[in-house]
Amino acid sequence: MARLLKPFEYFEPRTVEEAVQLLSKYGHQAKVLAGGTDLLISMKKRKITPQYVVYIKSIPELDYIHYSQQAGLKIGALATHTAIADSAIIKDKFELLASACGKVGTPQVRNMGTIGGNICEGGPSQDSVPSLLVLEAKLKLISLHGERIVPIDEFFIAPFKTALQEAELLTEIQIPTPPPRSAGCYKWFTKITTVDESLAGVAVLMLLDSTDGICRDLKIGLCSVAPTPIRARRAEQVLRDKKIDNSLIERAARVAVEETSPRSRADYRKRMTGVLVREAISETWQKIRQLHLRERA
Amino acid sequence: MKQIANFIVNGKACELAIEPHMLLVEVLRDELGLTGTKQSCGIGHCGACTVLIDGIPTLSCLTPALTARGKNITTIEGLAEGTRLHPIQKAFIDYGAIQCGYCTPGMILSAKALLDRNPNPSREQVKQALSGNLCRCTGYVKIVDAVLAAAESMGKEASE
Amino acid sequence: MSQKLSVVGKRIIQPDAAAKATGAAMYASDLKMPGMLIGKVLRSPYPHAKIKRIGKSKAEKLPGVEAVITPEDVTQWKPFDRGLKDLPMIAGGYLVPPDEHILNERARHFGDAIAAVAAINEHIAEEALELIEVEYEELPFVIDPEEAMKPGAPQVSDVAEGNIGKHLSYPFPEGDVEKGFKEADCIVEGTFSTTKQEHCTAETAAAVAHLDVNGRINIWSQCQVAHMARREIAHIFNMPVSKVKLMTPLVGGGFGQRGSVCAEPICIALALKTGKPVKLEYTREENFTALESRTGFKYNLKIGFKQDGTLTAMQVYMLGRLGGYMGCGPMASVIGMVFGLGHYRCPNRAGEADMVMTNTPVSGAFRGFGNPAMMWGIEQLVDEAAEKLGMNPLKIRLKNIKKAGEIANMGLRLESTYLDECIKRGAEAIGWKEKWGKKKEGKMRRGVGIATMTHCSGAAPLYLDHSNAFIKLNEDGSADLTVHPAPLGQHIWGALSQIAAEELGILAEDIHIVTGDTDITLFEYGSDASRSTYAIGSATLIAAHQAKEQILERAAKMLGVSPDELEIKERQVYVKANPKKSIPVADVCYDAIYNFKGECLNISGKCSWEGRWNSSPTGAFFAEVEINTETGRVKVIKFVTAIDCGKAINPMTVEGQLEGGMQQGIGYGLTEDYIINKDTGVVESDNYDTYKMPGILDMPETEVVIIDKPDPKGPFGAKGVGEPGMVGVAPAIANAIYDAIGVRIKDLPITPEKVLKALGEKSQ
Ligand SMILES: Cc1cc2nc3c(=O)[nH]c(=O)nc-3n(C[C@H](O)[C@H](O)[C@H](O)COP(=O)(O)OP(=O)(O)OC[C@H]3O[C@@H](n4cnc5c(N)ncnc54)[C@H](O)[C@@H]3O)c2cc1C
Ligand code: FES
Ligand code: FES
């Protein structure tokens, strides 16, 4: 690997408008640079050698975290993992996302890396994505032709290939407020050491009826166990509208495993997916029961 | 093509003409002669190249220098005041937290960012804050001891 | 030997620490000279390939490129052995016919050096590499040593027929193993394998070379064995040794990897071609593929015991992977056998090793050399035997460890050993009694394990163990100590200062270390084999003693007494019987230099030291682990190292060495895996994203127990402590895993997959 970058022309737009103009002018020869924690490594490895680099972190309008009950959570693409993991509102209402972003890399990487970059990198093991999948996030993409909203589960096409079109910028992640009496969590195993890429990551979001203990809704999002992050929809079905018990959770975990298709360390990843799905559902179930108890008290 | 860039490095304003593809670690080491910032892996994993940008630990090996224009950059050379060492530097020396010393600048800067934010961290919080800095020599034990000792001595200094 | 010590034993701070804490410290990678060029190396993407053609004109035409060199451009220079074994450094040993060139026409491993460039900056140098056109003819290659030994396997080296680089035997065999096994009531045996751990020195390999006005080669080198590197360089470049000046800057970690020549030959070749200063700094990936890393072994080990736990026989056959060049690797097997088979009292011992050439990056020395590999198996089998014999793992060890006065692991007398104390105190610290052998249930299971070891203090009697020290006293009573250890971060300058100051009766800060320049320093074998404090310390002690005698003699005259009536304490020479009568050391030194009475003398001492004995440090390692039986993850909860390193010259440094050893040992045991793709020969783990060493969050609670009892031979009773810290870590973890879940992993590293698989097999 080279230690240095190849020459490129550098732009530092101050508005989204300016940025998308540059992107459309230079087309596939241009690359968006946010925190650079993925892009710069690809450039050093000469996997990508863009001639134009459009640095977007000087666009003030893209770095925010807003929340209201009706509008839900809106995160600017430039919000860093640190900002998200430390955000009081996200920790309170979207804890699974806070813990996913708090898991990414190292303190320095979280200070630099953005959620927009994490999504747009489009790899199989982006840690923020399983949580965003189960929260049914929508992505706001802007280009010269205007703006479109893409549900996140339609965004990932193949490893490192997304629905993002040339000259399009991700500007915002929109997350609806989860219904009351729902809870979720993000669980992961790293590959080898404590700070490491995820070997498997599982996000769960569950809605439980307090009167009859029936699971009204369950969503499971996975990363690192298939070519792209995925929803384990068949596993979700196992529990949906059922009264939860441990054997049902076991079954859901087994079904989730069948939905994965990891390439390397496949057996182990599959097995760990099962363990994580089971733990994530059980933990979420516990959380909701606590919630209900607190409500009653 | 070279562009003019202004930085505040260790409190001093400086103006440099740099190529857009130059990394901050290159500019600091080669252009400004601040070789205390080290490069060890080049891919964001070791933290040897850590500097503070507006007080935030940042990897200079993954930062194009132009993106730090107008910012306050602190390198290891900026910590001591004249011959008066920063309490973290002093603690690293006194506690034997430095062996080969190649990870030390990054470690000390990560520790400084922590103590500036949280003057009274627990052992666990110190470990979390330093988890982006690898060390092959020390086993980290004395490094954690040193940061905790520095926190204590800074606390005392502040209350005096 | 109970001496009252005033400097030795103190936790002094290090002379180089402040420079390192402020960023002022200069490493090879930081050096810059006017007009300096930057070198880069083009490396083979294939494990075995012939270079059919190299087109360099495009690269040469790139503005800013000053030289492009290929194998044909370096033919006037000699091939070499990077492990320096073409020099007579191994006692009664072997010389390796050198067959590595500065650049190679036939690439023998992924990452082998093919061509190099020098350019006015690193950007242009990187671009120039991409412009060099190489036509490779891929050759059949072999990765696995067992495959390499089969008839018809691709031939890696011309000097190693059938790919056997070296067949080596245990140099201290004893008794008759056949007979020993016959006498045994219980025989344990197993096949163990170990990995090609990479050193991960924080600084990558770097060198700066230029030619001075006299045409001498000036080279800043990180080499741990500076003077032998200098001789090797002179040899390669057809120069007298006096025409090479080798300087050692601060080094960002060595751990044995810099025991061979690294970036120096290519860097010098570029400087000679361009006539300009050149800096060559490797990338992290080059460190992984172009330098030596730990020698990986697969071995069959067999140990016999009597019913009461007494050892009757030990036997090993080791198969080691050397890589594309011989490097330092072959001796790793000997070191493994010496310490492994010599560790316990055993009347019948034998060992053989085949060290095999393969198309993989080169193997060499890494902290502990072959010892961690060998202990990996021995300490597990000892536990296995203990279980079969119904003995406690501590007891079986206490029964068999050697006592002072017995013959030690290298045919020398064991001068001192406190391993029994290490075992007892370490066991207490880990809570052995409460924790070991208890019934384990549930998903998370904990266990404790032990491993013991011995190691060396210096290279004698296997390698040349030659050190020199020169000390002179200045007119103010301060002293300049000239020595040439490699400053790798092991705090050696401080330790030598303490030794000299203690002997002279002055303070550690009075000693200035003059070092790092072969024009000034006397011959020094170097910093490896845990020898710097022990061997260079011995030379320092004797040199200081000579100087002290001169001080005493002159002080005696000045005070009107005889020298043996005097002692020196805290910079002052006292009359023992009448401490009121005294004179400052400074005054004695001043009077000696500015004498004007016809008796001028620069008080000084010099010692050429050749180690003739070797005090064995010993240690016991204790791990407590927790295993998640659903995921196979092993977490080390607590780790205790109890060490007998003789007198700790600086306990803070000793702790630092052992804590660092724990990190490397935990990595060796659990996380570090050097992966070579079997189908392509490509190294797949070449940076920290793919090769994982333990970070701060992977480290357990740690404790170091220092026995701190002086050895009769070492300087102020010190023994070596640089390497021992990692030797027993992995087997202690493996034994703890067995205690927790009843399975044995014999194949390093212990991955969750292996743990789960073993658990699965056990439950069937
Ligand atoms: C040491 C280390 C550890 C890491 N660990 C983890 C981990 O544990 N988990 C994990 O998920 N990731 C990890 N990463 C990867 C990386 O840090 C994250 O993916 C990060 O969120 C990327 O964000 P960024 O802002 O740095 O993206 P960049 O590198 O700037 O960009 C990444 C890609 O997205 C594109 N892009 C960025 N922003 C936009 C936008 N707004 N619109 C359109 N395209 C855009 C870029 O063009 C580029 O293709 C790690 C990286 C490192 C160096
Ligand atoms: S050099 Fe920047 S993180 Fe390693
Ligand atoms: S002191 Fe050497 S890497 Fe930390």
Side-chain angles (χ1 to χ4, degrees), chain B residues 97-104 107 134-140 143, chain C residues 200-203 251-253 255 488-489:
Chain B
I98 304 173
Q99 289 189 27
C100 83
Y102 217 73
C103 72
T104 308
M107 284 284 182
L134 292 173
C135 175
R136 190 53 151 174
C137 301
T138 63
Y140 309 99
I143 290 177
Chain C
C200 303
T201 58
E203 187 188 21
V251 186
F255 315 118
L488 308 165

Side-chain angles (χ1 to χ4, degrees), chain C residues 324-551:
Chain C
Y325 300 96
M326 208 86 87
C328 290
M331 280 298 278
S333 63
V334 177
I335 302 301
M337 290 187 275
V338 163
F339 298 122
L341 302 182
H343 176 199
Y344 297 111
R345 181 186 314 112
C346 179
N348 307 295
R349 291 170 294 161
E352 298 291 328
D354 280 313
M355 303 304 287
V356 181
M357 313 245 4
T358 48
N359 295 110
T360 58
V362 185
S363 298
F366 188 160
R367 200 179 213 163
F369 217 0
N371 199 11
M374 197 68 199
M375 288 306 170
W376 168 242
I378 291 197
E379 289 301 281
Q380 290 204 59
L381 283 190
V382 168
D383 258 33
E384 224 177 287
E387 190 183 13
K388 284 191 174 158
L389 297 167
M391 282 178 90
N392 181 307
L394 308 187
K395 272 233 178 84
I396 196 167
R397 288 179 171 82
L398 286 167
K399 186 170 187 81
N400 287 297
I401 55 177
K402 289 177 179 167
K403 302 230 157 52
E406 292 184 47
I407 297 299
N409 42 44
M410 287 187 281
L412 303 167
R413 203 183 105 95
L414 183 56
E415 298 293 343
S416 71
T417 172
Y418 300 97
L419 183 51
D420 51 347
E421 257 181 75
C422 292
I423 293 174
K424 287 171 196 155
R425 287 186 51 195
E428 234 165 75
I430 200 84
W432 182 272
K433 249 197 210 130
E434 305 80 62
K435 292 175 183 162
W436 179 79
K438 299 287 177 305
K439 197 168 158 46
K440 319 287 149 98
E441 274 167 338
K443 178 173 113 178
M444 308 299 284
R445 294 187 204 166
R446 290 192 176 198
V448 291
I450 179 184
T452 55
M453 65 107 226
T454 185
H455 203 69
C456 59
S457 302
L462 296 175
Y463 284 84
L464 177 67
D465 199 41
H466 179 185
S467 284
N468 281 274
F470 171 72
I471 193 163
K472 70 176 171 33
L473 273 290
N474 301 316
E475 48 268 64
D476 60 354
S478 67
D480 300 328
L481 172 64
T482 305
V483 283
H484 203 150
L488 308 165
Q490 77 283 47
H491 296 174
I492 186 59
W493 294 348
L496 297 177
S497 301
Q498 283 177 285
I499 290 170
E502 183 71 57
E503 180 62 15
L504 286 166
I506 58 179
L507 309 184
E509 64 253 38
D510 295 337
I511 310 284
H512 166 63
I513 303 282
V514 179
T515 189
D517 181 348
T518 55
D519 276 6
I520 298 165
T521 56
L522 299 165
F523 180 86
E524 176 51 58
Y525 170 82
S527 292
D528 64 4
S530 302
R531 68 183 293 282
S532 295
T533 301
Y534 187 79
I536 309 178
S538 295
T540 297
L541 177 59
I542 294 170
H545 183 76
Q546 285 174 10
K548 180 183 176 180
E549 293 202 319
Q550 292 164 19
I551 296 172

Side-chain angles (χ1 to χ4, degrees), chain C residues 64 128 156 324 448 501 530 567 569:
Chain C
V156 179
V448 291
S530 302
E567 65 178 348
K569 277 193 302 202

Side-chain angles (χ1 to χ4, degrees), chain C residues 255-294:
Chain C
F255 315 118
Q257 193 173 49
R258 302 296 187 280
S260 13
V261 291
C262 298
E264 294 87 349
I266 299 177
C267 186
I268 294 168
L270 288 169
L272 288 168
K273 286 285 178 191
T274 57
K276 294 188 179 166
V278 175
K279 172 152 94 183
L280 175 58
E281 197 181 342
Y282 282 7
T283 61
R284 178 58 53 191
E285 290 79 4
E286 286 179 288
N287 253 43
F288 270 86
T289 59
L291 301 182
E292 296 180 358
S293 37
R294 193 183 284 286

Side-chain angles (χ1 to χ4, degrees), chain A residues 16 22 59 70 91 113 118 128 137 139 166 175 198 223 230 234-235 265 271:
Chain A
V16 171
L22 286 162
I59 306 177
Q70 299 87 341
K91 277 200 281 197
N118 199 242
S128 72
L139 307 178
E166 205 176 280
I175 304 174
S198 289
C223 73
I230 53 167
R234 284 196 290 127
R265 294 171 80 182
R271 205 163 156 181

Side-chain angles (χ1 to χ4, degrees), chain C residues 681-747:
Chain C
V682 170
V683 176
E684 291 182 342
S685 51
D686 63 356
N687 204 331
Y688 300 148
D689 52 348
T690 42
Y691 184 92
K692 302 300 275 189
M693 63 160 141
I696 197 165
L697 299 175
D698 299 300
M699 288 297 289
E701 180 195 340
T702 64
E703 191 173 331
V704 168
V705 178
I706 305 174
I707 304 299
D708 208 21
K709 292 191 175 163
D711 174 79
K713 295 283 194 200
F716 294 106
K719 301 189 204 177
V721 76
E723 295 170 281
M726 88 147 278
V727 174
V729 179
I733 292 172
N735 286 339
I737 291 172
Y738 185 82
D739 182 45
I741 55 175
V743 302
R744 284 219 167 271
I745 311 293
K746 298 185 174 176
D747 178 21

Side-chain angles (χ1 to χ4, degrees), chain A residues 3 6 190 194 265 268, chain C residues 126 130 631 633 698 753:
Chain A
R3 294 213 312 172
K6 287 208 151 186
T190 54
T194 310
R265 294 171 80 182
Y268 187 62
Chain C
E126 282 192 343
E130 293 178 22
T631 65
R633 301 251 154 176
D698 299 300
E753 279 101 320

